[in-house]
Amino acid sequence: MVHKRKSNSLSTVSANPVGGDASSPTTRRAKAAGRSITVKDIAAEVGVSITTVSNVLLGKEGTYSPETGEKVKECARRLGYRRNNLARSLVRQRSQTLGVLLEERFNFSHPENQYFVGVLQGFLQEAARRRYQVKIVMQANPPSDEIISAVDDASIDGLAAVVLSPDNALFGWFDHARLPVVLVGCETRSPKASSVDVDDYESLGELIEQAWSLGHRRFALVTGENEHGALSERERAFSAHVGGRRLDGGAPLVLRCDMEGHKADEILRELAKLSAAKRPTILVCANDLIAVSIVRQASAHGLRVPEDFSVTGFDGFAVGDWCTPRLATVRQPLSRIGAKAAEILIESLENPGAAPIQHAVLPGRLLLRESLAAPSGASA
Amino acid sequence: MVHKRKSNSLSTVSANPVGGDASSPTTRRAKAAGRSITVKDIAAEVGVSITTVSNVLLGKEGTYSPETGEKVKECARRLGYRRNNLARSLVRQRSQTLGVLLEERFNFSHPENQYFVGVLQGFLQEAARRRYQVKIVMQANPPSDEIISAVDDASIDGLAAVVLSPDNALFGWFDHARLPVVLVGCETRSPKASSVDVDDYESLGELIEQAWSLGHRRFALVTGENEHGALSERERAFSAHVGGRRLDGGAPLVLRCDMEGHKADEILRELAKLSAAKRPTILVCANDLIAVSIVRQASAHGLRVPEDFSVTGFDGFAVGDWCTPRLATVRQPLSRIGAKAAEILIESLENPGAAPIQHAVLPGRLLLRESLAAPSGASA
DNA sequence: CTGAAAGCGCTTACAG
DNA sequence: CTGAAAGCGCTTACAG
């Protein structure tokens, strides 16, 4: 790899922020012993007690004289003191750290995982804002008992569990955990754990109302396998919102695809067989992947979107941006979900008075794009 | 949100794994005092010393009798003992936790951020495999001094810095950090910090060789703004690999786009003006976003890919999968990068004998897809 | 095989 | 304003 041209020196070298005064006997001794500078070192160097050092470092105004304060701060700076937060957490009985539990199927290259990732981002940001650190715990599949040790080891003060599987083995534990837990994006509700989720039901209602007002009267639902509980709420919402309306041709079609849209081809084949008068004017898909697969493969079956039928997704992932026509869908407020999860944890940690359990339901946002249009010949 | 149908009970409730024997006086006392079960509680309950409890719990065979071992383990289980790893880390002087430093521009919805995300995934997996926990630290923009406190507080044993900006303010610190640091995906090399990066130079060479063998003789590079150092290595690689060849029409064209491909339109307008005999037969783009933008907008300018020219990307992000024709590109082995970073840290932590600094360069993989084809009328 | 004791690096009443 | 002391929950020589 000789040809790899990399600059061999650092482009930025700021003043050495640690290590401090290398010539101080204290520093030298500490370094030689391979240990860090501690409050004890500072106390010795300045000639005060460690109590005073601690008080100064914690900024407990009034408990020390200005001169002492100056001397201690200067010394800390000079010696390159860094607080050991392990020790601090141990005595304070809180680590100022939040945990995020992820299932291992967190395979990022997959669009679905924008969910994890968007949530994580919001969580990280809110945690940072409130001065909490964040630890990530991956739950292996199948889950081992170790996972509880990883989560219940005093290293985190609260846990956001981003568990999409309704049958996650940890649900029993969540319920008895002695740290606050917030369940993110799963259907399950527990009286002992908080939750943050999106109002799929409401959003799907808005989507269908929008389609209706455009003139759609023949709806079909394209959903995934039944086994996977994740889409069942969307299916229920579809039935409920479409059910009450006077449709053309009776009950809406329900087409079974798979979560990833691999079977879109089969579904399109069936649809192509239908006469235009029988064919649904809109395919409401239970997630973006299904919808995008339909959109992409429609032309191969001689079907045009949205001329022959409209297609809508659900999730608002980036794939919908990258297909033609762009996908109309419902965007989940991912980073807000994450931020809300962090907020709930921090609130329950810092306001012992507040309600310890909160169930937040966030609204999705309709993204009206080209894959949704009035049906051909509609008299909306 | 009354209509939100959520099952109101948990679908899985496993046997209570913590809390244990609620009737034990020890447990009750601990719970009443709001504190956890400790080795001291077990020692008292069983009637042995905490040393023995610790020895049993640590599995130090030979230091305790089988009967004592059984009693202690049983008791720990019964009381729902959980080790406090803060205390353990404090005495062992290592937290068994690795840190990942991310720049705040980590905005996940953006394809570029598959980089962060893919790396993170590999890192998490490798860390879990080696029984390390992972802490995420976001570096705000502009970076504040606090970031060092967050990273240098004894809560992590090593740090993987996923910093794309070559001018990150932390480079000075990385160099003097007392914990092992591995720089991920940045061009900078330091003698004091390890690094993991991809061999863009080599990969681009393979790509160009492939194009050459298909018959391409008129190359153009489409790259981003110059200010951003991130693409400069790819630009150098392009010049070097194309430079030595006998091209049609002299030196290759270099077209300035932007990192996101927003200016693809302007570039296509210029290309459309060229006669087919003058036009490049292949556009080598410095990243996927640029390439995809070109592919998507080409038809609006009456240009077809790959008939009028081939287009190649660089990165291997998912966007390239979702455009038509699919993008030929170089896939970075993202999760392997992350895994390698974790591996380097863990090695240097656990084998004090091994070389403390390692510079790993991983190969990219050519993804030959439809946007790259032989030029029309080529006599390759 | 077992245990008393020291100590990791802090914070926090408490006494002066 | 300052400091001696206890203690957070562990692990680890060390002595028996």
Side-chain angles (χ1 to χ4, degrees), chain A residues 1 3-4 6 10-11 85 106 108 117 121 133-136 153 166 175 178 197-199 296, chain B residues 1 3-4 6 10-11 36 85 106 108 117 121 133-136 153 166 175 197-199 202 322:
Chain A
M1 309 289 161
H3 47 252
K4 179 113 179 163
K6 295 284 187 177
L10 294 165
S11 43
N85 272 325
F106 188 32
F108 301 83
V117 151
Q121 162 159 260
Q133 307 202 19
V134 175
K135 209 155 160 181
I136 307 272
D153 68 347
D175 239 17
R178 56 182 173 194
D197 204 355
V198 159
D199 198 344
R296 290 172 56 79
Chain B
M1 310 288 163
H3 47 252
K4 179 112 177 161
K6 296 284 188 178
L10 294 165
S11 42
S36 308
N85 272 325
F106 188 31
F108 301 84
V117 152
Q121 162 159 260
Q133 305 203 21
V134 175
K135 209 154 161 182
I136 308 273
D153 69 346
D175 239 17
D197 205 355
V198 159
D199 197 344
E202 183 76 22
W322 295 98

Side-chain angles (χ1 to χ4, degrees), chain A residues 23-246:
Chain A
S23 62
S24 143
T26 307
T27 315
R28 242 178 308 136
R29 216 174 313 120
K31 287 217 161 164
R35 51 174 203 77
S36 309
I37 300 297
T38 70
V39 283
K40 214 161 142 191
D41 294 318
I42 300 179
E45 182 99 354
V46 176
V48 292
S49 71
I50 62 167
T51 303
T52 299
V53 172
S54 181
N55 282 153
V56 173
L57 261 21
L58 291 174
K60 294 203 173 167
E61 309 275 348
T63 70
Y64 54 87
S65 71
E67 304 84 66
T68 309
E70 254 334 296
K71 275 194 284 187
V72 168
K73 285 179 203 157
E74 182 277 328
C75 180
R77 214 174 309 129
R78 181 161 47 81
L79 301 188
Y81 170 76
R82 303 264 114 216
R83 178 169 60 207
N84 182 321
N85 272 325
L86 259 20
R88 166 176 237 229
S89 300
L90 184 60
V91 22
R92 298 186 61 196
Q93 299 279 63
R94 54 208 315 268
S95 60
Q96 202 76 198
T97 301
L98 265 20
V100 177
L101 180 76
L102 261 22
E103 291 183 324
E104 203 174 32
R105 64 159 140 155
F106 188 32
N107 177 340
F108 301 83
S109 60
H110 193 290
E112 186 197 32
N113 294 293
Q114 280 193 24
Y115 185 84
F116 289 97
V117 151
V119 167
L120 187 57
Q121 162 159 260
F123 192 90
L124 283 167
Q125 247 153 10
E126 179 66 11
R129 208 176 64 74
R130 309 277 303 249
R131 327 234 131 187
Y132 277 74
Q133 307 202 19
V134 175
K135 209 155 160 181
I136 307 272
V137 186
M138 282 237 289
Q139 184 182 15
N141 209 340
S144 65
D145 283 349
E146 292 174 57
I147 194 77
I148 293 181
S149 314
V151 148
D152 195 4
D153 68 347
S155 72
I156 59 174
D157 298 334
L159 179 72
V162 188
V163 274
L164 298 182
S165 318
D167 55 350
N168 189 293
L170 245 29
F171 276 117
W173 179 81
F174 293 152
D175 239 17
H176 299 97
R178 56 182 173 194
L179 36 70
V181 171
V182 53
L183 267 27
V184 178
C186 78
E187 307 250 318
T188 312
R189 288 287 172 275
S190 158
K192 308 291 255 333
S194 297
S195 67
V196 182
D197 204 355
V198 159
D199 198 344
D200 287 358
Y201 188 95
E202 183 76 23
S203 304
L204 198 53
E206 286 173 31
L207 182 68
I208 285 172
E209 177 56 36
Q210 178 70 28
W212 182 267
S213 69
L214 282 169
H216 288 282
R217 293 297 179 271
R218 288 195 302 281
F219 290 79
L221 173 69
V222 190
T223 184
E225 307 91 337
N226 227 349
E227 33 128 339
H228 205 299
L231 300 181
S232 59
E233 189 189 1
R234 296 177 186 176
E235 295 174 18
R236 277 197 301 274
F238 176 83
S239 307
H241 289 298
V242 164
R245 303 181 189 259
R246 267 205 289 165

Side-chain angles (χ1 to χ4, degrees), chain B residues 54-105:
Chain B
S54 181
N55 281 153
V56 173
L57 262 21
L58 290 175
K60 295 202 172 167
E61 310 274 350
T63 70
Y64 55 86
S65 72
E67 304 84 67
T68 309
E70 253 334 296
K71 276 194 286 186
V72 168
K73 284 180 203 157
E74 181 279 326
C75 181
R77 215 174 308 128
R78 180 162 47 81
L79 301 189
Y81 171 77
R82 303 264 116 217
R83 179 169 61 208
N84 183 320
N85 272 325
L86 258 21
R88 166 176 237 229
S89 300
L90 185 60
V91 21
R92 298 186 62 197
Q93 298 279 64
R94 54 208 315 267
S95 60
Q96 201 77 200
T97 302
L98 265 20
V100 177
L101 180 75
L102 261 23
E103 291 182 324
E104 202 173 32
R105 63 158 142 156

Side-chain angles (χ1 to χ4, degrees), chain B residues 111-141:
Chain B
E112 186 196 32
N113 294 292
Q114 279 193 25
Y115 185 84
F116 289 97
V117 152
V119 168
L120 187 57
Q121 162 159 260
F123 192 90
L124 283 168
Q125 249 153 10
E126 179 66 11
R129 207 174 66 74
R130 309 277 303 248
R131 329 234 131 186
Y132 276 74
Q133 305 203 21
V134 175
K135 209 154 161 182
I136 308 273
V137 185
M138 281 237 289
Q139 184 182 15
N141 209 341

Side-chain angles (χ1 to χ4, degrees), chain B residues 276-298:
Chain B
K278 291 273 189 181
R279 201 187 295 135
T281 60
I282 179 168
L283 304 184
V284 176
C285 302
N287 72 28
D288 280 353
L289 281 190
I290 296 175
V292 166
S293 303
I294 298 266
V295 168
R296 290 172 55 77
Q297 294 171 40

